[in-house]
Amino acid sequence: KGDRVKLPPRKYYTVQKNDTLYAISRRYRADLKDLASINNIRKPYTISVGQRLQIPDGTAPERQASANQAGVSKRAQEIASTSTPSRSGRFMTPVKGRVISGFGPKQDGLHNDGINISAPQGTPIRASENGVVVYTGNQLRGYGNLILVRHSGGWVSAYAHTSKFLVKAGDKVKQGDIIARVGQSGNVDRPQLHFELRKGTRAVDPKSLI
């Protein structure tokens, strides 16, 4: 008898109300174009409630890269128990530069959950507020080198496409501390910072808070 090759089961997702293809790609850490291609969806990537989508191989539901995942590791538990400093007031702009992509819907069904600021390679990136670093890494597709900082009141700030980390998970930072350097990691074609502010899981336009 010949050897049997066991293929992994295909994964599917049923479109719910208010879903977008971009949001689904983010949830499963899938490339938007791969997700569209495998399901024969063309621009502007229109989908409908009840539609069954195949998820590309090698993807998994996106977990919030935060320290609230109890039991993930002893280190994660330590970070989760680290007290969060009180905020100083308003958030500050983390890097000086020109905003090249604002918050909100974009072409081809995309949505920017933050703002993108153009700045020279190596420009210092500063903590937008007092907080605790809960993640440094590059596991989220497209973001390159990413830092997440937890703030009091349920806020989280995100700093993507960096070239160098100057902090690590568990570090406490003060507003204005240099935490990274501007880079071109991830899916970008020039040095820039992608900056997000989230209240819980909801993305908020940074320009309304800084």
Side-chain angles (χ1 to χ4, degrees), residues 1-174:
K1 295 182 179 179
D3 292 336
R4 290 184 178 180
V5 177
K6 186 175 182 181
L7 298 175
R10 292 182 177 180
K11 288 175 290 190
Y12 292 90
Y13 174 80
T14 301
V15 177
Q16 308 295 313
K17 185 178 180 181
N18 297 324
D19 273 343
T20 65
L21 197 67
Y22 174 69
I24 296 169
S25 72
R26 283 282 300 276
R27 186 177 308 151
Y28 284 89
R29 299 184 185 179
D31 183 89
L32 176 64
K33 291 182 179 179
D34 289 348
L35 182 61
S37 176
I38 200 172
N39 290 285
N40 296 315
I41 300 172
R42 298 183 178 183
K43 293 180 181 180
Y45 303 141
T46 302
I47 56 177
S48 56
V49 173
Q51 185 175 350
R52 195 164 181 249
L53 301 178
Q54 182 179 339
I55 304 300
D57 290 339
T59 62
E62 179 180 351
R63 296 181 179 180
Q64 290 296 321
S66 71
N68 295 324
Q69 297 172 20
V72 171
S73 68
K74 182 178 179 181
R75 182 59 179 154
Q77 292 176 0
E78 292 173 353
I79 296 170
S81 64
T82 302
S83 61
T84 306
S86 299
R87 287 177 52 195
S88 63
R90 292 182 65 84
F91 290 96
M92 64 172 278
T93 304
V95 68
K96 292 183 178 180
R98 182 171 62 89
V99 175
I100 55 177
S101 180
F103 180 90
K106 300 298 173 186
Q107 294 180 349
D108 299 334
L110 300 179
H111 186 284
N112 192 353
D113 286 346
I115 58 175
N116 290 54
I117 304 171
S118 176
Q121 182 86 12
T123 300
I125 299 170
R126 300 178 183 274
S128 186
E129 248 293 8
N130 303 335
V132 176
V133 179
V134 295
Y135 175 85
T136 60
N138 57 9
Q139 284 81 24
L140 294 182
R141 185 189 295 268
Y143 281 79
N145 297 325
L146 171 69
I147 296 177
L148 298 180
V149 179
R150 184 182 70 217
H151 310 284
S152 61
W155 289 94
V156 173
S157 57
Y159 313 77
H161 309 311
T162 71
S163 62
K164 184 179 182 180
F165 299 133
L166 299 177
V167 292
K168 63 183 183 302
D171 287 350
K172 289 188 177 183
V173 295
K174 293 181 179 179

